[in-house]
DNA sequence: ACAACCGGGACGTCCCGTTTGT
DNA sequence: ACAAACGGGACGTCCCGGTTGT
C-alpha cells in the first residue's frame, strides 16, 4: 500500500463527493484495490444515494475515466494560445512535468486500462475515447503547423507521450522534461 | 518482450505448473482479477503445495515478474548476432510485432506495475530490475555503435519502447511496426 | 389497563389520526418494527405535517405512551364507585380479563419499555409516570380500606399486576382471571 | 442508548464468540437495535462464518434465547439441595436479587418476547419452552413439598416471578428482595 | 492431494428517520 | 399534500488469501 491517503473529506453534492473520493482512491491505490464501501464511507454518502447515481462499481469506474477525459480536454483547451508547433511542445512537456508532482502515480487512463483486460468493456471504451481525442487534437495541430505527414508524426509523438507517462511513474528520472524535449525535437526533425 | 501466454494445461513439476498457470492467467486477466483458488485448480496442485513454494500470492506475483524478466533477457540474448545498431532496430521492431500476436495483452511489466502502486513493493522492485537491465543493455548497444550521446538516446528509445508496448494493446493499429521503424529512424536521426 | 387496539382507518384531525394509527401499530407490532412511512401512509397525513406535530419518532412514541397513560387513568377513574377493597379487586381482575380480548398483545407500557433500554429516555420517563400513578392510586385505596401496611401490600399487588399482564400475553391460560382473584385473596390474606 | 457496552472481546470458537457477543448486545440494547454487522465486527468473525452457524439473524436470536434457557436451567439445577419449599424461596429470591446486579436490564425472555409479537415465531416458541420448564419445575417442587393445590400455587408464584423481573428493571426499588419474600409467604399462606 | 474452515471484505438491495423542495 | 432526496445502516451472498487438519 502506497502513501496512505488520509481520508480527506470531499465537499459538494453527493454525486460530486462520490466522484471526488473515487478519483482520489482509484488513482492512488488502483481500481480493484478500492471497494465501494470505503468510497461510500469516505464520501459520507448513503449507499442508496451511491447506487442511484452509479448503478454499479464499473459504472463508477467508467464515470471516473470519463471525468478524467473531460478534465484533460479542458486543461488542454485552457492552455494559452500559441502557434501550433509551440502548443505541441507545451502539451508534451506538461506530461513530463506532471511526473514531478508529489502525488503522481502514472496516467489514470493507462492504469485503468491495465485493470480492464477486455477491450470491449465500457471502461476501455472510455479510455479509447480519450486516446482518440488526443490523437485527433495532435493531428490537427501538426496539420495546422504545416508539418509534412502530420498523421504519422502525430502517432509517433503519441507513442512518446505514452512512454513519458509510463516512465514518469516507473523510472522517476529527474531529467525527464529535458529528455522529452529532445525526443520531440528529433521526432519533428528539428535541429537544435 | 517475451510471449507469456502459455498453454491451457501446464505440465512438469508442481512449482513449474503453478508458475505457468499463474503466468497465463495474470497476464491475460490481470493480477488482482485472478484468485489463488483458480490458479491452484487449473494447475492441479494442492493448496499446501502451493504455499510451500510461494509463501504468499504477492510472492507468486513477484516470481511471475522475475520469470518474465529472465525470459525476456534470454530472448534478447538469443537473438542472432548483428551489428549493434541493427540489434537495436531488431529489438524494438519485435516489440511492435508482438502486438500482432493473438493473445497480446500489453507488457506484463507495465501491467503488473499498474496494479502495485507502492514503488517499494517487491513486485515493483522486480519490474525495476527488468527496466534497469533493459536500459543498460540498450545503452551498451548504442555505445558500441558509436552513437553520439548514447545514454540520452537510449533513454529516448526506451520511452518509445514503452509507448509501443502500450499503444500495441490500446490502439491496435495495424501499421505499428512501420510507425515504430520510422520513429527509431528519427530518434537516431537517420535519414530514410 | 386500556385497550389500545384501534380501528383500521383513523379519523379526525391530522395529529389525532397519526396518534391513533401509531397506537394501533406500535401496540400490535412493536415500536421498532413499525416505520414512520407506514404510519404516515395509513393515517393519510403528509410527512411534513407529521413532523410538525411530532419532532421525531421518539417523540411520537412518547406521545403514544403518555396517551395510554391518560387513557388508563381515565378508565380507572370512570369505574363505578365501590368500597376501596372492591375497587382493588375490580381493577386487578380487569387486567386478567383484558388478556381475553382478541387483540391483546401485552401491556403497552411494558412492551414499550422493553424496546427502550435507557432508563433515562423520555419514553421510559413516561412509563415511569404511569407506574408511579398506579402505585399511588393503589396505595390510596388500600389505605382507605384500612389495610394494615398498605404500602407493602400495594407493592406486592403491583408485582402481581405486572405478572398478570405478562402472563396474559405469553401463557394465554384460560383461567387467568380465577387465578388472579385467588392471588389477590392470598396477598390480602383473605380466607375464601 | 444505555450505558455503552465497551466492545468487549469475546473468546473461544467462532460460534461461541458470536453467541457471546450477541448475548451481550441483545440483552443490553435490545434485539432490533443491534445489527449483525456489529455483532460480526465485535466478535471478530467472518460474515460467511456467521451465516454458516446461524442461517439468519432470527436464528441467532432464537439461539440466544435457547442458550439463556439452558443457562437458566443449569443455574437452577446447580443450586445446592434444600427441602423443596426452601428451594422455592431460594429460586424466587434470586430473581429479586438479580435486579441489583449492575448490568441488569430485565428478563431476557420477556424482553425478547416483547420484540416478537407473533406467538408462533421460533423466538416465542423458545421463550415458551423456558416458561413451560419453569412452570413444571415449580409445580414439582410444590408437589414434593406437599403443598395443597400445587398447580394453582405454582401459577400464582410464576405471576409473582414475572412481576419481580419486570419491576426489578422498571422500578429499581431497593427493598425488592424483602418485598418478594413477603409476597411468597402470603401466596404460600405462611404466617410470619 | 483433498477439503473444510477462518478472518476479512466486496457488492448490491432494501428500509428507516429526516429534510427539502414544490 | 405529494414526492424526491439524503445519511445511515441492516442483511445476506459470494469471493479472496491463508491455515489446518488429515
Amino acid at each position: 500500500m502506497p502513501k496512505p491517503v488520509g481520508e480527506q473529506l470531499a465537499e459538494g453534492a453527493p454525486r460530486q463527493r462520490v466522484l471526488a473520493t473515487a478519483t482520489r482512491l482509484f488513482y492512488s491505490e488502483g481500481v480493484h484495490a478500492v471497494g465501494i464501501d470505503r468510497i461510500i464511507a469516505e464520501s459520507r454518502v448513503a449507499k442508496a444515494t451511491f447506487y442511484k447515481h452509479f448503478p454499479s462499481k464499473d459504472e463508477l469506474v467508467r464515470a471516473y475515466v470519463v471525468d478524467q477525459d473531460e478534465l484533460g480536454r479542458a486543461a488542454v483547451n485552457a492552455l494559452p494560445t500559441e502557434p501550433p508547433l509551440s502548443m505541441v511542445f507545451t502539451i508534451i512537456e506538461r506530461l513530463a512535468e506532471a511526473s514531478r508532482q508529489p502525488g503522481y502515480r502514472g496516467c489514470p487512463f493507462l492504469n485503468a486500462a491495465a485493470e480492464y483486460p477486455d477491450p470491449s468493456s465500457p471502461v476501455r471504451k472510455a479510455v479509447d475515447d480519450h486516446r482518440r481525442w488526443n490523437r485527433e487534437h495532435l493531428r490537427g495541430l501538426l496539420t495546422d503547423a504545416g508539418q509534412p505527414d502530420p498523421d504519422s508524426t502525430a502517432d509517433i509523438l503519441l507513442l512518446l507521450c505514452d512512454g513519458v507517462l509510463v516512465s514518469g511513474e516507473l523510472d522517476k528520472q529527474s531529467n525527464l522534461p529535458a529528455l522529452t524535449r529532445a525526443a520531440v525535437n528529433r521526432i519533428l526533425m528539428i535541429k537544435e
Side-chain angles (χ1 to χ4, degrees), chain A:
Chain A
M1 199 96 329
K3 58 182 80 72
V5 181
E7 307 213 5
Q8 309 161 214
L9 291 181
E11 294 179 2
R15 190 184 192 281
Q16 182 184 344
R17 288 209 306 277
V18 170
L19 195 49
T21 304
T23 298
R24 174 170 55 88
L25 296 178
F26 284 163
Y27 181 69
S28 61
E29 306 190 15
V31 171
H32 286 340
V34 176
I36 56 169
D37 282 357
R38 188 169 161 211
I39 294 172
I40 284 170
E42 294 198 16
S43 47
R44 286 166 308 123
V45 156
K47 219 163 198 179
T49 305
F50 172 87
Y51 277 100
K52 200 190 57 171
H53 291 294
F54 306 100
S56 70
K57 183 187 176 181
D58 275 7
E59 272 306 301
L60 172 64
V61 179
R62 204 187 73 89
Y64 153 65
V65 174
V66 168
D67 189 51
Q68 292 299 309
D69 176 23
E70 292 168 356
L71 288 174
R73 299 190 195 194
V76 169
N77 289 333
L79 289 175
T81 309
E82 291 178 275
L85 212 54
S86 298
M87 298 263 323
V88 171
F89 274 88
T90 299
I91 290 171
I92 299 181
E93 282 172 11
R94 289 173 67 96
L95 299 182
E97 284 159 9
S99 69
R100 303 176 107 106
Q101 304 302 326
Y104 185 71
R105 237 273 292 155
C107 170
F109 303 101
L110 301 187
N111 289 342
E115 298 203 54
Y116 282 81
D118 181 2
S120 66
S121 67
V123 171
R124 285 288 291 268
K125 298 278 192 202
V127 171
D128 290 345
D129 284 347
H130 180 74
R131 295 176 69 80
R132 211 161 12 239
W133 178 84
N134 249 351
R135 162 161 296 135
E136 296 309 322
H137 184 250
L138 198 54
R139 286 180 170 184
L141 287 177
L142 292 177
T143 302
D144 293 349
Q147 195 76 5
D149 203 355
D151 287 4
S152 293
T153 301
D155 286 351
I156 293 173
L157 284 175
L158 286 168
L159 294 181
L160 176 70
C161 288
D162 285 331
V164 167
L165 290 166
V166 163
S167 179
E169 158 68 357
L170 296 186
D171 301 328
K172 294 281 181 214
Q173 47 193 344
S174 55
N175 60 335
L176 188 55
L179 208 64
T180 303
R181 209 171 311 119
V184 176
N185 277 323
R186 294 201 199 177
I187 290 168
L188 295 179
M189 295 182 285
I190 298 174
K191 294 200 180 93
E192 292 171 274

